Structures are given as structure tokens and as C-alpha cells.
Amino acid sequence: MKFKTIIEPFKIKSVESLPITTPEEREGYLKREHWNVFGLKSQEVTVDLLTDSGTGSMSSEQWAAIMRGDESYAGSHSWQRFHDVVSDLTGYKHIIPTHQGRASEKILATITVKEGDIIPSNSHFDTTRANFEFVKAEALDLLCKEGLDLLSPSPFKGNIDLDKLEKILKEKNEKIPFVLMTITNNTGGGQPVSMENLKKVKELCGKYNKMFLLDACRFAENAWFVSQREDEYKDVEIRDITKEAFRLADGCTISLKKDGFGNIGGILAFNDDDLAEQARNLLILTEGFPTYGGLAGRDLDALAQGLKEITDKNYLEYRARSISYLGEKALSFGIPIVQPAGGHALYIDAKTFVPHIPSHEYPGHSVACEIYLIGGVRTVELGTLAFGVAGENGKPDEPSTHELVRLAAPRRTYTQSHFDYVAEVLEKLAENKEKLKGYEIIEQPKQLRHFTAKLRPL
Ligand code: F0G
């Protein structure tokens, strides 16, 4: 029997209380932090949708695994358990543990990329891009045209444009160290990549003799969408879809703070012996010995358990449904969102929602502040404040392509009533939208300004 109500497929054993604040208090907190939500203290935030990274809840089995943690410096039992799970899941020959995704990216960029190289991808995540640009290479996004059209739904908006990929592989072959596919595509709205697209990327990489890597932070969410949207996979177990996806590539980087169900952790993995050796040599300098990377034995054990739990289809169904439910509510209030809703987050298109606020007055930031002021819900702007280029000598900023606000859901942390509460906040946001005003920056650092910039409302 199929029920209409999709329940959280877990019960709660340990709770953490949430602060309930007044509108006056919230205004005071934001003002104190110069209207930057990154400055808020967590005890001033009622529902925190800033990120899904490292913010999930561990299961009782994971907490039990923590107690099994073996803190031997080399060859710990925790490492063996972690290694067995990751190698069964991914099939890669060499598994290298790191403390988080960007540590894997840093090592990858150092050993494989040189000045003038080009790394084609569906879309690079910011830290991935920054690590490649740091070694003066070009991080090239080749997202398919469906992915570029924010507001129209399409099943696999994370796919890469295969014609563009082939063209660059042909024309700039010697400049390309590898192709990197991000699953799901965070930058483009948490959208999945089809198995068909991954198989074609593999084929092209074979034809042009290039290594194929995955940025697989949200591999289980990607597999869930594949099972729902790609006919050939509708009766395939999620675990088997993820195994097949990993085996199409020659290696991966993963931030285990997402689909590892971890609060910290990462992986760098290769089939290539020589690359793995170089990576391990660098790992020892920057992270730690190859059987723990940047992690404690107990972390490795919690992650090994998390990686077993993440492909549970009941969990993935509840997760995808919470976000698509919020998406349906937003649309019903007339709030334009990236469609369909993503695997880990809902993205509001602020450019379409508040067209009276120009890019250089940060429409996404204005929406994010308003969402906090209404209900203490913290979200993040992904628009000109985060990605634009600051204008010099009083000139306006160079805007970013999109003005998005991301509502990212921590894993297994919030229940249906929390999502109903957030929906109510969005309803009030829609009622207030004409009143929203732009912001100006009064102080900003040279890099990554959105984390610490000081602003004021116009
Ligand atoms: N790749 C993707 C696709 C990501 O979303 C992230 C992190 C990383 C790599 C880097 O991993 O944080 O462990 O170093 N995304 C977080 C976010 C920060 O909020 O989207 P990390």
C-alpha cells in the first residue's frame, strides 16, 4: 500500500533546542552584524538553511561507531573499516582520506594541473574553481542549455554539453589534464547528471585519452534522481546506481560533509598508481599519514557507517520530497525558483522575484535578509555579492550571471513542520516583496567578500 504522507524515516533520540526570537531581536542581531547573515550566532537562527555541508545529524549507529574509533597512528582498524566501505562503493584502487572536499581539491590541483591548463566540467563548485585558478589554470563550465535556463524544468539540468566538451577536447587536447563532472551540480541549482551523460563523457574521455574524474559530494542524491527520472534505472537499487556511476570514472574528490553523513571528512581517489603515490606524498605534508588523512579514527568510523546509510531509498525519498514540497509552496506564492527543486536545496531566482532591485544593490542579499527578519531562517545569497566583481572608484560592481538565494537543507535535521514553517516565511516574503530595498556595501575584503562584507540598507 502506498501512503500519501511521506514520513521522516527515523525517530528522534537526542534533541537540540531551537531559539525562537522576536522580529525586534532579529533586526538587532542583523544590524549588529552589518546586515551580513554570516555574522549571526547560531543561537540567533531558528532554522539554519545556510548550507547542507557538515550540518547533518548522525544516526545512533554512527555515534556507536564513534566509540569504536581506533586512534592508532598507522593502519588503524577504523581506517580498514572506512577503506572497505569506500572501496566497495567506488571501486577505485587508491582511497586517500582528507579532512574535507577542498583539501582533496588542493592536492588534486597541485599534482595534476599546471599554468595554462583547462579543466572542463558541467560546473565547477567555487572552491574547486578557486583551487584550479590558484595554479593559473582555467576552470571551464560547459553546462547543457537546459541547465542555463533557470526557470524551466527539465530532468537532468546538471548534464554537460557534450558537443562543447568534444570541441574543447579536440581543439585544446594537450592543455586538458582531465574532465571533472560535479554530481549533483550545486552551482547550477543542485541538479542531477544522467547516467547517459556520464557514459558519454566516459566515451569522449576514452576517445581523446583523458582522465575522467567526479566531484561526487552528492552522489546518492544524484542516484536518487536517476532512479526517478531515467527509465533504464527505475528498478535498479540506489546502491547499484552509485556503484555504476563511480565505476564510469577514473577517480573522484568527495566532501563527506554532504552524502557521507559526516560533520567533517573527504576523499581523494584514483585508479592511477603514479598519481596516487604523488597524492599520498603531498597528503603527508598537508593532511597526515595516508591511513587517517586529516581525520581522527572515530571520524573514519562514523563516515564508514554514514556511507552505508546514505543510499537508503526511504531516506532519499523523504529528503527529495521535503525540498520539492518547499518548491511547490514557493511557486504557489509566486516566488520564482530554479526548477525543478534541487537535491539538497531550493534556489530562489531573486533577479526575477525583485526586479526593482538592480544587481549592484544585491537583490539576493535583500531577499536573504528579509527571510531572516521575517522568521529567523538563515539562507545564503549566491549572486553579485558572492560572485560579482567589486567596482572601483565608485563604479557599480560587475554583476554575476544569476542572483540566487539558496535554502539548503541539512540532512535528517529538520522535520515536516520545520519545512511548513519555512513555507510560511516564504509566503510572508512574497507579500512583502514590493517593499524590499537594495543594499550597499560599506566595507569589503579583496577576496570572498560575502563572508565578511559590511552592508547597509538603502
Ligand atoms: N564540491 C562541491 C560540489 C561542493 O558543494 C562543495 C562544498 C565542495 C566541493 C567543497 O567541499 O566544503 O568539504 O571543502 N559545498 C558547501 C556548500 C560548502 O555550502 O555548498 P568542502
Side-chain angles (χ1 to χ4, degrees):
M1 205 190 329
K2 187 93 182 139
F3 286 92
K4 278 200 308 260
T5 311
I6 296 168
I7 59 169
E8 288 82 14
F10 47 81
K11 57 183 178 174
I12 295 164
K13 175 170 284 187
S14 169
V15 299
E16 205 176 323
S17 57
L18 291 178
I20 307 290
T21 53
T22 65
E24 295 72 33
E25 283 169 341
R26 294 194 284 273
E27 187 170 346
Y29 301 144
L30 252 195
K31 223 181 230 166
R32 183 197 69 210
E33 295 307 328
H34 303 278
W35 307 92
N36 189 331
V37 294
F38 280 97
L40 295 168
K41 301 185 172 102
S42 64
Q43 60 281 24
E44 294 162 352
V45 177
T46 304
V47 179
D48 205 346
L49 305 183
L50 187 67
T51 178
D52 65 320
S53 182
T55 52
S57 305
M58 291 212 293
S59 65
S60 49
E61 289 300 325
Q62 283 182 286
W63 283 109
I66 291 245
M67 289 307 295
R68 268 197 301 278
D70 169 9
E71 306 303 340
S72 303
Y73 190 91
S76 79
H77 207 167
S78 299
W79 157 249
Q80 297 164 44
R81 284 187 284 260
F82 176 83
H83 183 269
D84 287 352
V85 172
V86 177
S87 97
D88 176 65
L89 180 70
T90 65
Y92 300 130
K93 192 166 168 200
H94 301 283
I95 314 287
I96 297 161
T98 61
H99 81 276
Q100 66 180 87
R102 68 199 72 182
S104 305
E105 294 159 7
K106 173 76 183 164
I107 294 172
L108 176 68
T110 310
I111 64 175
T112 58
V113 182
K114 57 182 189 313
E115 184 170 346
D117 280 356
I118 302 169
I119 298 101
S121 174
N122 49 345
S123 292
H124 292 268
F125 180 67
D126 344 347
T127 57
T128 326
R129 167 178 298 282
N131 271 302
F132 296 147
E133 288 177 351
F134 186 76
V135 289
K136 300 197 165 58
E138 184 190 349
L140 182 66
D141 290 345
L142 299 175
L143 193 60
C144 65
K145 67 175 189 322
E146 292 83 359
L148 298 171
D149 176 359
L150 297 183
L151 304 180
S152 313
S154 183
F156 290 106
K157 287 171 77 170
N159 285 354
I160 196 167
D161 183 322
L162 294 161
D163 294 334
K164 287 189 184 155
L165 177 61
E166 176 145 28
K167 188 162 184 282
I168 193 96
L169 283 168
K170 206 185 282 177
E171 289 173 4
K172 296 279 166 72
N173 192 282
E174 72 294 351
K175 297 249 175 240
I176 299 174
F178 54 84
V179 175
L180 180 71
M181 289 292 287
T182 310
I183 60 171
T184 56
N185 178 17
N186 185 5
T187 314
Q191 301 294 318
V193 179
S194 70
M195 291 297 280
E196 188 192 1
N197 196 251
L198 292 177
K199 286 178 197 165
K200 296 221 166 103
V201 172
K202 179 189 170 68
E203 228 174 86
L204 286 175
C205 286
K207 181 168 168 192
Y208 292 94
N209 201 19
K210 293 294 158 193
M211 186 164 65
F212 171 22
L213 300 179
L214 296 175
D215 173 346
C217 297
R218 299 177 179 86
F219 65 87
E221 287 165 13
N222 201 78
W224 168 257
F225 287 125
V226 165
S227 79
Q228 299 300 300
R229 298 178 188 172
E230 208 167 347
D231 270 352
E232 199 188 320
Y233 289 90
K234 72 178 195 309
D235 298 317
V236 184
E237 293 288 329
I238 304 287
R239 194 85 185 166
D240 293 333
I241 301 174
T242 61
K243 285 185 172 182
E244 188 179 334
F246 278 118
R247 281 159 181 79
L248 291 171
D250 306 303
C252 70
T253 63
I254 311 183
S255 164
L256 294 171
K257 299 173 75 172
K258 285 83 169 173
D259 278 353
F261 268 143
N263 301 122
I264 198 73
I267 296 173
L268 176 61
F270 298 111
N271 284 330
D272 186 285
D273 298 337
D274 181 46
L275 274 183
E277 189 186 331
Q278 289 181 53
R280 287 198 183 100
N281 289 340
L282 195 54
L283 187 84
I284 293 180
L285 285 183
T286 57
E287 293 279 292
F289 191 71
T291 64
Y292 71 85
L295 298 166
R298 56 178 165 272
D299 296 327
L300 291 166
D301 257 314
L303 291 166
Q305 177 61 28
L307 286 168
K308 288 185 198 160
E309 294 173 8
I310 194 74
T311 44
D312 172 20
K313 77 177 189 331
N314 296 326
Y315 155 73
L316 288 165
E317 180 179 35
Y318 133 82
R319 175 153 179 80
R321 184 60 195 135
S322 314
I323 297 164
S324 64
Y325 172 84
L326 203 55
E328 286 163 16
K329 290 283 181 188
L331 287 173
S332 76
F333 306 139
I335 301 176
I337 56 163
V338 174
Q339 289 197 63
H344 67 296
L346 188 73
Y347 294 66
I348 295 176
D349 178 9
K351 200 188 271 186
T352 314
F353 182 53
V354 284
H356 61 281
I357 306 178
S359 282
H360 64 272
E361 292 176 10
Y362 316 111
H365 179 74
S366 172
V367 170
C369 285
E370 186 67 16
I371 291 176
Y372 177 73
L373 292 170
I374 294 170
V377 177
R378 178 157 64 171
T379 59
V380 66
E381 188 257 16
L382 298 173
T384 297
L385 181 60
F387 306 128
V389 180
E392 292 192 352
N393 308 323
K395 292 215 181 84
D397 293 348
E398 197 182 298
S400 117
T401 320
H402 302 306
E403 302 293 347
L404 300 176
V405 180
R406 186 182 75 172
L407 287 71
R411 291 169 182 74
R412 296 192 296 209
T413 300
Y414 295 119
T415 64
Q416 179 61 29
S417 71
H418 293 115
F419 287 105
D420 276 320
Y421 174 83
V422 175
E424 213 178 311
V425 170
L426 293 182
E427 186 172 18
K428 294 194 166 62
L429 170 76
E431 287 162 16
N432 290 357
K433 77 169 192 174
E434 310 295 341
K435 285 189 242 139
L436 261 62
K437 296 214 162 54
Y439 281 74
E440 67 174 336
I441 293 182
I442 51 176
E443 219 179 286
Q444 60 182 312
K446 280 224 171 339
Q447 267 147 9
L448 298 171
R449 63 178 181 178
H450 62 300
F451 293 123
T452 54
K454 295 181 179 172
L455 296 105
R456 83 175 147 225
L458 289 163

